[in-house]
PDB file of all heavy atoms in Angstrom:
ATOM      1  N   PRO A 985     101.443  98.933 110.465  1.00 60.00           N
ATOM      2  CA  PRO A 985     102.341  98.092 109.678  1.00 60.00           C
ATOM      3  C   PRO A 985     102.782  96.870 110.470  1.00 60.00           C
ATOM      4  O   PRO A 985     102.998  96.916 111.697  1.00 60.00           O
ATOM      5  CB  PRO A 985     103.532  98.993 109.413  1.00 60.00           C
ATOM      6  CG  PRO A 985     103.120 100.372 109.755  1.00 60.00           C
ATOM      7  CD  PRO A 985     101.957 100.243 110.692  1.00 60.00           C
ATOM      8  N   ILE A 986     102.880  95.772 109.765  1.00 64.00           N
ATOM      9  CA  ILE A 986     103.333  94.531 110.388  1.00 64.00           C
ATOM     10  C   ILE A 986     104.853  94.481 110.271  1.00 64.00           C
ATOM     11  O   ILE A 986     105.422  94.605 109.187  1.00 64.00           O
ATOM     12  CB  ILE A 986     102.721  93.307 109.684  1.00 64.00           C
ATOM     13  CG1 ILE A 986     101.205  93.366 109.802  1.00 64.00           C
ATOM     14  CG2 ILE A 986     103.294  92.008 110.242  1.00 64.00           C
ATOM     15  CD1 ILE A 986     100.486  92.342 108.979  1.00 64.00           C
ATOM     16  N   PRO A 987     105.557  94.352 111.423  1.00 59.00           N
ATOM     17  CA  PRO A 987     107.017  94.344 111.375  1.00 59.00           C
ATOM     18  C   PRO A 987     107.518  93.067 110.670  1.00 59.00           C
ATOM     19  O   PRO A 987     106.852  92.058 110.668  1.00 59.00           O
ATOM     20  CB  PRO A 987     107.441  94.340 112.829  1.00 59.00           C
ATOM     21  CG  PRO A 987     106.235  94.233 113.651  1.00 59.00           C
ATOM     22  CD  PRO A 987     105.052  94.241 112.757  1.00 59.00           C
ATOM     23  N   HIS A 988     108.705  93.198 110.064  1.00 63.00           N
ATOM     24  CA  HIS A 988     109.367  92.026 109.499  1.00 63.00           C
ATOM     25  C   HIS A 988     109.729  91.100 110.636  1.00 63.00           C
ATOM     26  O   HIS A 988     109.780  91.509 111.802  1.00 63.00           O
ATOM     27  CB  HIS A 988     110.607  92.471 108.738  1.00 63.00           C
ATOM     28  CG  HIS A 988     110.313  93.299 107.538  1.00 63.00           C
ATOM     29  ND1 HIS A 988     110.215  92.778 106.298  1.00 63.00           N
ATOM     30  CD2 HIS A 988     110.062  94.629 107.417  1.00 63.00           C
ATOM     31  CE1 HIS A 988     109.938  93.728 105.440  1.00 63.00           C
ATOM     32  NE2 HIS A 988     109.844  94.858 106.096  1.00 63.00           N
ATOM     33  N   ALA A 989     110.029  89.880 110.294  1.00 66.00           N
ATOM     34  CA  ALA A 989     110.420  88.887 111.324  1.00 66.00           C
ATOM     35  C   ALA A 989     111.578  89.403 112.161  1.00 66.00           C
ATOM     36  O   ALA A 989     111.665  89.105 113.354  1.00 66.00           O
ATOM     37  CB  ALA A 989     110.778  87.571 110.651  1.00 66.00           C
ATOM     38  N   GLU A 990     112.452  90.192 111.581  1.00 75.00           N
ATOM     39  CA  GLU A 990     113.610  90.702 112.294  1.00 75.00           C
ATOM     40  C   GLU A 990     113.282  91.930 113.131  1.00 75.00           C
ATOM     41  O   GLU A 990     114.125  92.484 113.802  1.00 75.00           O
ATOM     42  CB  GLU A 990     114.760  91.036 111.306  1.00 75.00           C
ATOM     43  CG  GLU A 990     115.339  89.826 110.613  1.00 75.00           C
ATOM     44  CD  GLU A 990     114.480  89.389 109.414  1.00 75.00           C
ATOM     45  OE1 GLU A 990     113.622  90.157 108.936  1.00 75.00           O
ATOM     46  OE2 GLU A 990     114.662  88.259 108.960  1.00 75.00           O
ATOM     47  N   GLY A 991     112.026  92.437 113.030  1.00 76.00           N
ATOM     48  CA  GLY A 991     111.611  93.558 113.847  1.00 76.00           C
ATOM     49  C   GLY A 991     111.706  94.916 113.183  1.00 76.00           C
ATOM     50  O   GLY A 991     111.488  95.931 113.863  1.00 76.00           O
ATOM     51  N   VAL A 992     112.029  94.995 111.911  1.00 79.00           N
ATOM     52  CA  VAL A 992     112.123  96.276 111.215  1.00 79.00           C
ATOM     53  C   VAL A 992     110.881  96.469 110.375  1.00 79.00           C
ATOM     54  O   VAL A 992     110.607  95.681 109.468  1.00 79.00           O
ATOM     55  CB  VAL A 992     113.366  96.330 110.310  1.00 79.00           C
ATOM     56  CG1 VAL A 992     113.427  97.631 109.521  1.00 79.00           C
ATOM     57  CG2 VAL A 992     114.624  96.148 111.133  1.00 79.00           C
ATOM     58  N   SER A 993     110.106  97.512 110.654  1.00 83.00           N
ATOM     59  CA  SER A 993     108.899  97.753 109.856  1.00 83.00           C
ATOM     60  C   SER A 993     109.268  98.457 108.556  1.00 83.00           C
ATOM     61  O   SER A 993     110.317  99.094 108.450  1.00 83.00           O
ATOM     62  CB  SER A 993     107.905  98.600 110.651  1.00 83.00           C
ATOM     63  OG  SER A 993     108.357  99.937 110.716  1.00 83.00           O
ATOM     64  N   ASN A 994     108.375  98.360 107.570  1.00 82.00           N
ATOM     65  CA  ASN A 994     108.575  99.076 106.295  1.00 82.00           C
ATOM     66  C   ASN A 994     108.730 100.566 106.542  1.00 82.00           C
ATOM     67  O   ASN A 994     109.562 101.224 105.945  1.00 82.00           O
ATOM     68  CB  ASN A 994     107.418  98.817 105.347  1.00 82.00           C
ATOM     69  CG  ASN A 994     107.408  97.418 104.817  1.00 82.00           C
ATOM     70  OD1 ASN A 994     108.374  96.670 104.946  1.00 82.00           O
ATOM     71  ND2 ASN A 994     106.308  97.012 104.196  1.00 82.00           N
ATOM     72  N   ASP A 995     107.880 101.124 107.428  1.00 86.00           N
ATOM     73  CA  ASP A 995     107.923 102.566 107.703  1.00 86.00           C
ATOM     74  C   ASP A 995     109.254 102.979 108.340  1.00 86.00           C
ATOM     75  O   ASP A 995     109.824 104.007 107.976  1.00 86.00           O
ATOM     76  CB  ASP A 995     106.760 102.963 108.604  1.00 86.00           C
ATOM     77  CG  ASP A 995     105.421 102.906 107.897  1.00 86.00           C
ATOM     78  OD1 ASP A 995     105.397 102.887 106.634  1.00 86.00           O
ATOM     79  OD2 ASP A 995     104.391 102.890 108.600  1.00 86.00           O
ATOM     80  N   ASP A 996     109.737 102.183 109.291  1.00 85.00           N
ATOM     81  CA  ASP A 996     111.026 102.500 109.939  1.00 85.00           C
ATOM     82  C   ASP A 996     112.181 102.431 108.928  1.00 85.00           C
ATOM     83  O   ASP A 996     113.049 103.297 108.903  1.00 85.00           O
ATOM     84  CB  ASP A 996     111.319 101.544 111.086  1.00 85.00           C
ATOM     85  CG  ASP A 996     110.452 101.777 112.300  1.00 85.00           C
ATOM     86  OD1 ASP A 996     109.805 102.862 112.373  1.00 85.00           O
ATOM     87  OD2 ASP A 996     110.389 100.890 113.177  1.00 85.00           O
ATOM     88  N   PHE A 997     112.152 101.396 108.085  1.00 82.00           N
ATOM     89  CA  PHE A 997     113.195 101.259 107.077  1.00 82.00           C
ATOM     90  C   PHE A 997     113.147 102.407 106.092  1.00 82.00           C
ATOM     91  O   PHE A 997     114.168 103.014 105.775  1.00 82.00           O
ATOM     92  CB  PHE A 997     113.070  99.909 106.365  1.00 82.00           C
ATOM     93  CG  PHE A 997     114.116  99.680 105.324  1.00 82.00           C
ATOM     94  CD1 PHE A 997     115.447  99.496 105.693  1.00 82.00           C
ATOM     95  CD2 PHE A 997     113.818  99.628 103.976  1.00 82.00           C
ATOM     96  CE1 PHE A 997     116.438  99.271 104.746  1.00 82.00           C
ATOM     97  CE2 PHE A 997     114.779  99.433 103.025  1.00 82.00           C
ATOM     98  CZ  PHE A 997     116.106  99.235 103.409  1.00 82.00           C
ATOM     99  N   ARG A 998     111.973 102.752 105.604  1.00 82.00           N
ATOM    100  CA  ARG A 998     111.813 103.849 104.643  1.00 82.00           C
ATOM    101  C   ARG A 998     112.284 105.170 105.275  1.00 82.00           C
ATOM    102  O   ARG A 998     112.988 105.941 104.645  1.00 82.00           O
ATOM    103  CB  ARG A 998     110.337 103.976 104.230  1.00 82.00           C
ATOM    104  CG  ARG A 998     110.127 104.973 103.119  1.00 82.00           C
ATOM    105  CD  ARG A 998     108.678 104.975 102.632  1.00 82.00           C
ATOM    106  NE  ARG A 998     108.399 103.761 101.867  1.00 82.00           N
ATOM    107  CZ  ARG A 998     107.513 102.844 102.209  1.00 82.00           C
ATOM    108  NH1 ARG A 998     106.801 102.950 103.310  1.00 82.00           N
ATOM    109  NH2 ARG A 998     107.318 101.765 101.459  1.00 82.00           N
ATOM    110  N   GLY A1124     115.042  90.955  96.831  1.00 91.00           N
ATOM    111  CA  GLY A1124     113.789  91.345  97.420  1.00 91.00           C
ATOM    112  C   GLY A1124     112.780  91.674  96.325  1.00 91.00           C
ATOM    113  O   GLY A1124     112.577  90.890  95.381  1.00 91.00           O
ATOM    114  N   ASP A1125     112.173  92.865  96.396  1.00 92.00           N
ATOM    115  CA  ASP A1125     111.188  93.269  95.392  1.00 92.00           C
ATOM    116  C   ASP A1125     111.812  94.105  94.263  1.00 92.00           C
ATOM    117  O   ASP A1125     111.101  94.780  93.524  1.00 92.00           O
ATOM    118  CB  ASP A1125     110.023  94.006  96.033  1.00 92.00           C
ATOM    119  CG  ASP A1125     110.448  95.281  96.779  1.00 92.00           C
ATOM    120  OD1 ASP A1125     111.655  95.579  96.811  1.00 92.00           O
ATOM    121  OD2 ASP A1125     109.552  95.953  97.332  1.00 92.00           O
TER     122      ASP A1125
END
Side-chain angles (χ1 to χ4, degrees):
I986 299 172
H988 294 264
E990 294 82 15
V992 177
S993 73
N994 289 348
D995 290 342
D996 288 345
F997 181 68
R998 187 175 288 117
D1125 59 0

